Amino acid sequence: MPGSQMIMYEEEYQEISVIINKLLKEANAKSIFLVDKNGQLIASCGDTDELDSTSLASLTAGNIAATGGLAKLIGEKEFSILFHEGEKDNIHLSIIAQRVILVVIFDRKSSLGLVRLRVKKASDSITKIFESLMKRIEDESAAGPESPFAEITDDDIDNLFK
Amino acid sequence: MSFINYSSREINCKIVYYGPGLCGKTSNLQFIYNKTNPQTRGKMISLATETERTLFFDFLPLALGEIRGFKVRFHLYTVPGQVFYDASRKLILKGVDGVVFVADSQVERMEANIESVENLKENLLEHGYNLDDLPYVIQYNKRDLENIVSLDEMREALNERGIPDFEGCATSGKGVFETLKSIAKEILMVLKSGIK
């Protein structure tokens, strides 16, 4: 099957949280989201309460996918950075470790230059975490198919639709 | 490719509604949206043209409940059905956990159904998936119309594998939740067996 299943463990999640919180401060950003390329939200920090983070994650992935399609059309592997400029707020998107998207939302209190600089540094740290995470997922799935759903029953599934 | 988050104790699965143009993919999502408790669903996003034809995708997140202490979330997507949007269609299949094929039961759309299934197979292969290995269900939509192909004929043309299939009328909601429940079950069964 293509790629492997994405699993996020508590330890890696904490490490990622530390990095994006640090990035939030250093880049003077409003909020930061880390999104899987398939559109699943992995982590977020900052001023996220007023945002529909599920929609943001899905649209971000769609945006990156469409831009990736454009890149391939002109013979590029991908466009690793996207920037959307608004009247007040701006969005900086960057692809990390070829599988997750770092979304930084910022306003006039910051600048594109600062965000790019800080994102670059944070990307390296996040890349390392994902490299070790992917290895862990591989090792643990090789050790046996231990899924939290191994004991699931038909009744469990029926209950979801009640 | 489901996403299991041990930190937030969530599992997210992606379901894609596929099918020829105007077969009722968006109508399926709209019906689910309208009939679901606002607490269990998120906002429905439709990236559509001015004439309400899907341009890129529709998206509907559903948080149905918990299984074994894990919140189970399904992200429902539709693809644009029109033939010339193939590049976009391909992108949406990335990371899919299960596919619902919405077939248009009208006689004149049979050819479009068959073409769309072939297109689905090809696009999945480009992502490295084989339709035969994926959770997959079919909905024969628009059963309320008059000029329709018999159920047996539709099955013969579209359901060689004998996968779960349902008669539907997405505008009135017939078969919509049965279809969703069935694909959700298929996906969770795959998770249960630990096959990725």
Side-chain angles (χ1 to χ4, degrees):
Chain A
M1 293 297 274
S4 50
Q5 186 171 33
M6 177 67 103
I7 298 174
M8 179 57 65
Y9 301 100
E10 184 66 35
E11 296 81 3
E12 281 82 359
Y13 178 79
Q14 293 302 340
E15 290 176 36
I16 287 168
S17 284
V18 169
I19 294 170
I20 60 172
N21 272 293
K22 189 170 168 228
L23 174 62
L24 183 80
K25 281 195 200 98
E26 290 185 347
N28 259 343
K30 287 179 77 175
S31 52
I32 293 178
F33 298 82
L34 196 65
V35 178
D36 177 44
K37 262 192 176 178
N38 300 333
Q40 321 276 16
L41 181 69
I42 297 171
S44 65
C45 68
D47 201 359
T48 58
D49 289 349
E50 283 172 23
L51 274 172
D52 176 354
S53 52
T54 312
S55 298
L56 182 133
S58 147
L59 287 171
T60 298
N63 195 343
I64 289 288
T67 316
L70 277 176
K72 287 205 180 71
L73 277 183
I74 65 159
E76 280 290 323
K77 197 171 153 212
E78 65 182 11
F79 293 125
S80 55
I81 294 176
L82 302 185
F83 174 58
H84 302 303
E85 188 176 316
E87 277 182 17
K88 278 190 265 167
D89 292 341
N90 314 295
I91 300 185
H92 184 279
L93 305 169
S94 51
I95 303 173
I96 299 180
Q98 285 167 12
R99 70 170 304 160
V100 290
I101 307 159
L102 181 65
V103 184
V104 180
I105 300 178
F106 64 97
D107 59 15
R108 282 181 203 149
K109 287 179 200 142
S110 185
S111 68
L112 179 58
L114 178 68
V115 170
R116 283 191 75 151
L117 182 74
R118 301 300 191 205
V119 160
K120 198 170 183 305
K121 200 174 145 200
S123 298
D124 294 341
S125 314
I126 296 173
T127 300
K128 278 187 198 130
I129 296 173
F130 271 91
E131 277 169 1
S132 73
L133 177 66
M134 296 325 287
K135 195 173 175 302
R136 181 171 173 186
I137 294 170
E138 223 169 81
D139 291 349
E140 297 204 0
S141 68
E146 196 190 320
S147 153
F149 295 92
E151 303 291 316
I152 202 172
T153 62
D154 279 7
D155 284 348
D156 287 331
I157 297 170
D158 287 338
N159 282 336
L160 285 179
F161 287 87
K162 273 185 182 157
Chain B
M1 200 189 329
S2 56
F3 172 36
I4 302 176
N5 191 333
Y6 282 92
S7 175
S8 54
R9 297 196 75 74
E10 277 179 13
I11 177 140
N12 291 289
C13 304
K14 178 171 178 177
I15 299 172
V16 174
Y17 282 69
Y18 211 92
L22 294 175
C23 69
K25 301 173 289 294
T26 301
S27 301
N28 262 272
L29 258 66
Q30 269 163 352
F31 187 82
I32 295 166
Y33 179 83
N34 290 332
K35 293 290 171 187
T36 314
N37 184 336
Q39 287 162 334
T40 62
R41 58 155 159 82
K43 210 168 127 191
M44 178 162 165
I45 290 176
S46 286
L47 303 179
T49 65
E50 282 176 6
T51 51
E52 295 196 358
R53 300 296 304 269
T54 304
L55 182 62
F56 195 6
F57 59 79
D58 304 304
F59 168 69
L60 175 62
L62 290 178
L64 290 179
E66 287 194 3
I67 292 185
R68 311 278 147 168
F70 274 77
K71 279 179 224 138
V72 182
R73 291 178 194 275
F74 289 101
H75 288 179
L76 276 45
Y77 285 82
T78 67
V79 297
Q82 295 176 85
V83 175
F84 57 87
Y85 287 138
D86 194 43
S88 307
R89 227 171 1 251
K90 206 178 292 172
L91 298 175
I92 292 150
L93 286 172
K94 189 174 167 57
V96 66
D97 291 300
V99 177
V100 172
F101 186 83
V102 181
D104 191 328
S105 296
Q106 296 176 96
V107 172
E108 65 270 23
R109 296 300 285 163
M110 254 337 255
E111 208 172 311
N113 288 329
I114 292 165
E115 265 175 34
S116 182
V117 172
E118 286 308 312
N119 176 256
L120 168 63
K121 287 181 188 166
E122 283 166 23
N123 283 339
L124 282 171
L125 270 181
E126 291 208 19
H127 288 291
Y129 297 108
N130 186 339
L131 182 60
D132 292 339
D133 302 330
L134 262 188
Y136 180 42
V137 304
I138 301 179
Q139 180 186 87
Y140 309 112
N141 195 22
K142 307 197 185 180
R143 298 309 290 174
D144 56 321
L145 299 184
E146 278 175 11
N147 185 29
I148 55 172
V149 178
S150 76
L151 194 58
D152 285 345
E153 276 179 80
M154 291 207 79
R155 281 200 171 125
E156 200 183 318
L158 301 170
N159 191 3
E160 292 168 345
R161 247 170 83 191
I163 55 163
D165 54 4
F166 303 88
E167 288 186 89
C169 171
T171 44
S172 73
K174 187 186 165 216
V176 169
F177 276 98
E178 288 84 347
T179 308
L180 173 64
K181 191 172 169 178
S182 175
I183 191 69
K185 195 167 182 171
E186 298 279 316
I187 291 171
L188 292 170
M189 285 302 166
V190 169
L191 284 173
K192 177 183 176 172
S193 59
I195 302 164
K196 283 144 204 160

